[in-house]
Amino acid sequence: MFLGFLGCLGSLKEIKCMLGLYFGFLLLLFLGQVTTAILIQTHSNTISSTVAGHVKTIIASYGTNASLSDHDDSWDFVQEQFQCCGWTGWTDWMENSRVRNALKKEYPCSCGNTSALHSANNRTTAKPALFCQAQAQLPINNKGCRESVQTWVNNNIISIVGICLGIALLELFLMMVSMFLCRTIDPD
């Protein structure tokens, strides 16, 4: 909003200071985006291990509060959409104290294999949004979410890069227009 205000009012009222600030902020934003892209590319292994650690922390603390946190809810969404369980596999959930110490076989409901759930008549739900119980074999997805997330990113990388390049080109165009206006505004 602030950038739009500077650019619009600066060009409408022909105020060079506002156009200069508009150019400066756009330049900082552009340089920040380029720096972020370079850092992501050069530190991809570090980012991958950081994400894995963050996910394992979410799994370990999942269900400890009465209501789901945003992180828990987001992780449920990932597991349901990609039909996966844990980061590397189901065994990641053994870090969760409720799953590890359960007397009956408990698992997060978002890990449930929907085809196995429809055929399992012996499943009862402990809490609708958190954990489910199974009497026999666990009806869960066995694959981890890491591969699914990496596959999704690889399949959509062209779209992601295209959107980022489009935004960068728009910023460059707007910087050129602001400099053009700034140079052509007559002091009188």
Side-chain angles (χ1 to χ4, degrees), residues 98 106-107 109 122-134:
R98 180 163 175 178
E106 282 192 355
Y107 62 95
C109 293
N122 55 358
R123 185 185 72 87
T124 60
T125 303
K127 283 187 177 179
L130 296 176
F131 293 97
C132 296
Q133 294 177 351

Side-chain angles (χ1 to χ4, degrees), residues 17-35:
C17 180
M18 282 188 165
L19 287 172
L21 282 173
Y22 179 71
F23 176 83
F25 282 126
L26 273 179
L27 182 64
L28 286 175
L29 186 63
F30 177 75
L31 292 175
Q33 289 171 338
V34 169
T35 304

Side-chain angles (χ1 to χ4, degrees), residues 55-89:
V55 168
K56 289 186 181 195
T57 303
I58 291 171
I59 289 173
S61 65
Y62 182 88
T64 55
N65 297 330
S67 63
L68 286 175
S69 69
D70 289 339
H71 297 293
D72 296 341
D73 197 33
S74 298
W75 187 243
D76 275 344
F77 179 78
V78 168
Q79 289 187 141
E80 288 170 358
Q81 291 300 310
F82 291 124
Q83 296 181 351
C84 55
C85 190
W87 186 243
T88 57

Side-chain angles (χ1 to χ4, degrees), residues 113-180:
N113 185 345
T114 53
S115 61
L117 286 176
H118 292 303
S119 64
N121 296 330
N122 55 358
R123 185 185 72 87
T124 60
T125 303
K127 283 187 177 179
L130 296 176
F131 293 97
C132 296
Q133 294 177 351
Q135 310 312 7
Q137 183 179 357
L138 293 176
I140 59 171
N141 295 306
N142 290 320
K143 73 174 184 172
C145 293
R146 179 181 60 196
E147 294 85 17
S148 299
V149 170
Q150 286 175 340
T151 301
W152 182 86
V153 169
N154 290 338
N155 289 342
N156 294 301
I157 194 72
I158 293 175
S159 300
I160 294 168
V161 169
I163 290 170
C164 292
L165 283 175
I167 291 171
L169 290 174
L170 179 65
E171 288 172 351
L172 286 173
F173 174 73
L174 291 173
M175 285 190 289
M176 288 188 315
V177 168
S178 69
M179 270 297 109
F180 174 76

